[in-house]
Amino acid sequence: MDTFDNPGGGKDLIKESGLTYDQKFKQLFSKKVFIAPILKNIIPEYKDLSLETIETLINTKSDVNVNPKVYSHDDAGKGSETETHYDVLADCALPGGETVCVVFFFDLEMQRENKPGYPVPKRGVYYCCRLISRQVENLGEEAYNQIKPVYSVWILINNIPKYLQNSIYKAELTGYSNKKSIDVSSINSQVGLIHLCFVYLSEDFSVEENGDNLIKYLQSVFIKQVDNPEFNPYYEYSGKIKKEVDEVMTIRESFEARGEARGIIEGKIELLLENEYTDVKIIEFLTTMKNNPLTLEQAEKSLKDYHKEHSV
């Protein structure tokens, strides 16, 4: 029997899914075929391009860490900042020859909730600023000419308010003059470096007939219907990754089902430790669980009690 079909089959199931959990997701999410439909709906210059053309313009860098220690010592303001992690970071060439930087955050790995204890929109703005600041290693007149616009895309699923489900929120940095007669387009083209996008899905992954193409595409991924024209407007293009999408989404389902089947916090901690989660990641998991998340104090106590009970 396939381990994915055995929700009560012991440790083999979670080892099969858990050990490949992060790796499989990153492999899929960093594929150009996977993110091309997203970029088509995010970057204005890609709107009228074919997905095949967009694919040739993407250079992805999966699992990227931005360490503030690489910054110049002259920039003391960044010296004490914490390390920032990006799920997928991509350089995207534009038809006119310019390049933009795009970063993706995927709910099921990074943001399991719309309200994980801090305001996600503010974190999104902060990450955009980090993506801009890291482009300038040594401040100087020429450095500012090298700054590329950045796009930060957040895919959010769990605990989304009803009114936000199946919607897309976009924010950009722009400006205006107090004199309406002045054409500020040239200034805005230089100021408009930040592009922030939140894609709010629904937990049941419902597909609205007249919904946005980006929402339809992402929902089709989670319900394993990427090759189905009834769900995915890009089904002909996405069909080539159907097998991998189905495998990754099955891993996700089995991981969550197995954790819930164990039913007790101790079981969840045991499963996470088996799969090499750090204490920090375990606490993050326990406080952002889809069902009955713990408070920070409860999570810390549960982990402490587990270590105490199982220490030899």
Side-chain angles (χ1 to χ4, degrees):
M1 178 182 291
D2 192 309
T3 55
F4 292 144
D5 296 327
N6 185 11
K11 296 181 179 179
D12 287 344
L13 170 62
I14 194 60
K15 283 188 175 181
E16 177 67 21
S17 62
L19 288 175
T20 58
Y21 189 65
D22 286 347
Q23 180 184 5
K24 288 290 186 180
F25 274 98
K26 289 169 184 173
Q27 286 176 353
L28 173 62
F29 295 160
S30 61
K31 279 186 173 294
K32 298 177 182 181
V33 179
F34 178 82
I35 64 176
I38 302 176
L39 293 173
K40 183 177 179 67
N41 288 274
I42 297 298
I43 300 178
E45 291 85 352
Y46 283 2
K47 180 180 179 181
D48 297 323
L49 298 182
S50 69
L51 293 170
E52 290 78 9
T53 299
I54 293 173
E55 186 178 340
T56 66
L57 300 175
I58 305 171
N59 177 28
T60 60
K61 304 169 185 177
S62 180
D63 194 19
V64 176
N65 287 282
V66 178
N67 193 328
K69 291 183 179 179
V70 304
Y71 294 131
S72 167
H73 62 82
D74 294 328
D75 192 354
K78 302 188 185 76
S80 60
E81 291 179 350
T82 58
E83 184 178 272
T84 299
H85 174 88
Y86 305 111
D87 284 1
V88 177
L89 188 63
D91 285 330
C92 298
L94 301 182
E98 297 181 10
T99 303
V100 297
C101 180
V102 182
V103 62
F104 294 92
F105 297 92
F106 295 93
D107 174 288
L108 54 160
E109 183 184 3
M110 293 294 291
Q111 300 303 324
R112 296 190 60 81
E113 293 191 68
N114 182 43
K115 296 181 180 180
Y118 55 82
V120 174
K122 286 186 177 181
R123 185 175 181 180
V125 173
Y126 170 73
Y127 276 13
C128 282
C129 294
R130 288 294 298 270
L131 282 169
I132 290 176
S133 68
R134 73 182 291 252
Q135 296 179 45
V136 182
E137 294 185 4
N138 296 294
L139 297 181
E141 292 183 3
E142 292 301 318
Y144 295 110
N145 293 327
Q146 302 169 10
I147 297 177
K148 299 179 292 186
V150 301
Y151 288 77
S152 182
V153 184
W154 298 65
I155 314 297
L156 302 163
I157 300 172
N158 295 310
N159 294 336
I160 307 299
K162 191 69 175 179
Y163 73 94
L164 279 178
Q165 291 180 13
N166 297 327
S167 69
I168 300 172
Y169 173 86
K170 295 182 179 180
E172 298 182 342
L173 183 61
T174 186
Y176 64 92
S177 172
N178 67 328
K179 294 185 178 180
K180 295 183 179 180
S181 60
I182 296 179
D183 182 3
V184 296
S185 58
S186 62
I187 301 177
N188 279 338
S189 66
Q190 299 177 54
V191 171
L193 297 175
I194 290 179
H195 304 269
L196 186 58
C197 178
F198 295 105
V199 183
Y200 296 103
L201 303 182
S202 56
E203 290 188 42
D204 61 358
F205 303 118
S206 59
V207 178
E208 300 175 349
E209 184 176 350
N210 298 320
D212 186 273
N213 281 344
L214 177 55
I215 297 289
K216 287 182 178 179
Y217 168 67
L218 290 171
Q219 301 284 51
S220 76
V221 169
F222 287 101
I223 62 176
K224 296 184 284 190
Q225 295 289 336
V226 292
D227 64 336
N228 190 333
E230 294 184 15
F231 298 95
N232 182 11
Y234 311 111
Y235 71 97
E236 291 183 319
Y237 177 78
S238 303
K240 65 186 78 172
I241 57 172
K242 173 178 171 53
K243 182 177 180 181
E244 187 169 2
V245 167
D246 288 355
E247 178 185 2
V248 169
M249 292 307 146
T250 300
I251 289 174
R252 174 181 179 269
E253 292 167 357
S254 65
F255 183 87
E256 293 188 352
R258 179 62 177 147
E260 293 179 6
R262 293 291 288 262
I264 57 175
I265 298 303
E266 180 178 346
K268 294 179 183 290
I269 294 175
E270 179 182 347
L271 291 172
L272 294 170
L273 286 171
E274 286 177 0
N275 293 282
E276 302 179 349
Y277 275 60
T278 65
D279 284 358
V280 172
K281 283 294 184 182
I282 291 175
I283 290 175
E284 179 182 354
F285 179 91
L286 295 176
T287 56
T288 60
M289 292 185 295
K290 179 178 177 180
N291 296 321
N292 303 316
L294 302 183
T295 65
L296 178 59
E297 292 75 18
Q298 290 172 334
E300 291 176 339
K301 184 178 185 303
S302 296
L303 184 57
K304 181 179 179 180
D305 291 344
Y306 181 91
H307 284 312
K308 182 178 180 180
E309 182 178 343
H310 292 81
S311 61
V312 179

